[in-house]
Amino acid sequence: LTRASSLPCSGGLIFAAGTPSVALRRGWTHGILADALLPLLLTGVLLFVASRRPATSLEAPIRPMQLLLLSYIGVVLHVSMDLLNTYGVRLLMPFSQHWFYGDVLFIIDPWLWLALGTGVGLSIRRRAPNWSRMSLAVAAAYVLTMLVSARAARAEMIDRWQQVEGRPPQALMVGPIPVTPLQRQIIIDAGDRYETGMLTWRPRNIRFDTDDV
């Protein structure tokens, strides 16, 4: 296992044999240059496709500026959500290859998908957009709660490690795990070794895998 980078957002780590498979995709397509250009490309493609379709009286007129705004919102939200997990993104590509990580949400968070999916489903079924707005509010509250949890867990681990080892860890990840938001996976770079374990909020407990040896 190799440590790819220490993290400025909340201090995660990427551990992989060689280069992570996400390095290219979460670099060139997720960096600030892509964030600026991809919405323009998407808008252009959609306008071209729309121009090739026969117009009907039932279709609303296409407003290019609104379409461009939605494209920017979609791309920026996509990158922002990817920033919240342990994979992270190379946000400054192509100007810098530095990785940024959030360590807030699991890569495919079931509770987030459930909240958003329920809102979309109810909005379509009942023809009431308020359900979508409500699901967005619930999802935003969940993400904010997980963000606070990630910050608190990181501070807790740094404090506990300093008490035991007398120095802060070189790098630290307190990452989310699927289904159970009240638990977090611990990976610590101690300099001469890696320590792994689990942090649990309820009941409040920190357990390292070496404790079982």
Side-chain angles (χ1 to χ4, degrees), residues 150-162:
R151 295 289 184 177
R154 178 169 171 78
E156 176 91 2
M157 282 308 309
I158 291 176
D159 182 65
R160 182 70 63 90
W161 189 262
Q162 286 182 313

Side-chain angles (χ1 to χ4, degrees), residues 17 29-30 70 78-79 120 189 197:
T29 62
H30 286 57
L70 286 174
H78 175 97
V79 174
V120 171
D189 179 1

Side-chain angles (χ1 to χ4, degrees), residues 11 14 16:
I14 276 189

Side-chain angles (χ1 to χ4, degrees), residues 71-142:
S71 298
Y72 270 107
I73 291 174
V75 169
V76 170
L77 283 178
H78 175 97
V79 174
S80 299
M81 294 303 290
D82 280 347
L83 182 62
L84 292 177
N85 58 55
T86 52
Y87 284 26
V89 297
R90 291 188 289 176
L91 195 59
L92 301 179
M93 282 287 288
F95 308 106
S96 171
Q97 297 194 27
H98 190 80
W99 283 90
F100 294 84
Y101 308 78
D103 298 347
V104 174
L105 299 174
F106 188 67
I107 181 66
I108 302 177
D109 192 296
W111 302 112
L112 192 61
W113 279 75
L114 179 63
L116 295 174
T118 300
V120 171
L122 289 174
S123 293
I124 295 174
R125 184 174 180 179
R126 301 187 179 184
R127 300 182 182 275
N130 285 338
W131 285 102
S132 290
R133 298 189 185 100
M134 188 181 302
S135 72
L136 283 174
V138 171
Y142 173 72

Side-chain angles (χ1 to χ4, degrees), residues 39-77:
L40 296 171
L41 177 61
L42 176 59
T43 301
V45 170
L46 292 176
L47 290 174
F48 174 77
V49 171
S51 70
R52 308 296 292 181
R53 294 180 55 191
T56 69
S57 58
L58 298 178
E59 291 183 349
I62 295 177
R63 297 180 173 85
M65 293 309 297
Q66 290 187 2
L67 188 58
L68 180 61
L69 177 61
L70 286 174
S71 298
Y72 270 107
I73 291 174
V75 169
V76 170
L77 283 178

